[in-house]
Amino acid sequence: IAVTGLAVNPATTGEADAATKIRTKNVERADQLRERIADIATAQKGDRYSLGSVGPGAFDCSGLVNFAYRKATGKVLPRTSYQLAGSLERVSRKNRKVGDIALYRGNGHVGIYVGKGRIAQALNSRTGVIVDRADEGWNRSMIYAYGRVIQTK
């Protein structure tokens, strides 16, 4: 829900919004899309952080997620971290896959799981876009779930 450009944390039932799903029966194709999303996200490493930016060259957290998904799949996802968190099918850390969206406590931040225990994220204006360990430090304590867009059901 957007109010004059500001996102409001939506109350949801936890069911994924159809607009945020990419369904394919082809597991190989799903894995290729996931890898492409991760490659695009990690290629932005070092780009600057700018609130409200969707790239290229500058991103906020959900802008990076949207940029990678749009470029890899053509899919336009909800624009804010709050909207993303309210519209994605949730999966646990144990069941995460490359390309899944990391959801942070409070729903004010998101990133992309890029594999090998790493996450790509546009964190803040000091760090810009980084690729960091998903299972250590701040990320480990703040990520409560992952959201899945690409589904093979």
Side-chain angles (χ1 to χ4, degrees):
I1 303 170
V3 179
T4 62
L6 298 176
V8 177
N9 192 352
T12 67
T13 61
E15 290 187 25
D17 182 336
T20 60
K21 293 181 183 178
I22 296 172
R23 294 182 191 260
T24 179
K25 292 180 181 178
N26 185 327
V27 174
E28 184 178 322
R29 175 69 179 140
D31 289 343
Q32 289 170 347
L33 287 172
R34 290 183 182 112
E35 288 294 332
R36 178 110 172 95
I37 290 160
D39 290 347
I40 291 166
T42 57
Q44 309 319 305
K45 183 179 176 180
D47 283 356
R48 66 185 181 87
Y49 176 93
S50 178
L51 183 62
S53 294
V54 296
F59 301 91
D60 68 7
C61 64
S62 57
L64 176 65
V65 169
N66 271 277
F67 180 83
Y69 268 86
R70 188 177 64 251
K71 195 164 181 184
T73 69
K75 186 78 162 175
V76 176
L77 298 179
R79 174 60 188 97
T80 70
S81 57
Y82 296 107
Q83 291 167 333
L84 281 166
S87 65
L88 295 171
E89 175 185 325
R90 304 258 167 80
V91 294
S92 67
R93 179 170 51 109
K94 177 180 151 189
N95 293 317
R96 70 188 174 195
K97 293 183 179 182
V98 169
D100 284 346
I101 298 171
L103 304 172
Y104 287 72
R105 295 189 192 286
N107 295 329
H109 186 63
V110 290
I112 298 175
Y113 183 69
V114 296
K116 298 181 183 174
R118 299 172 305 136
I119 188 163
Q121 58 184 319
L123 191 56
N124 58 48
S125 58
R126 184 179 57 80
T127 63
V129 178
I130 60 172
V131 177
D132 201 9
R133 300 291 309 165
D135 300 327
E136 295 177 5
W138 184 78
N139 286 327
R140 181 171 178 80
S141 67
M142 293 302 290
I143 296 171
Y144 71 88
Y146 289 82
R148 178 144 311 145
V149 175
I150 299 173
Q151 301 174 2
T152 54
K153 296 177 183 179

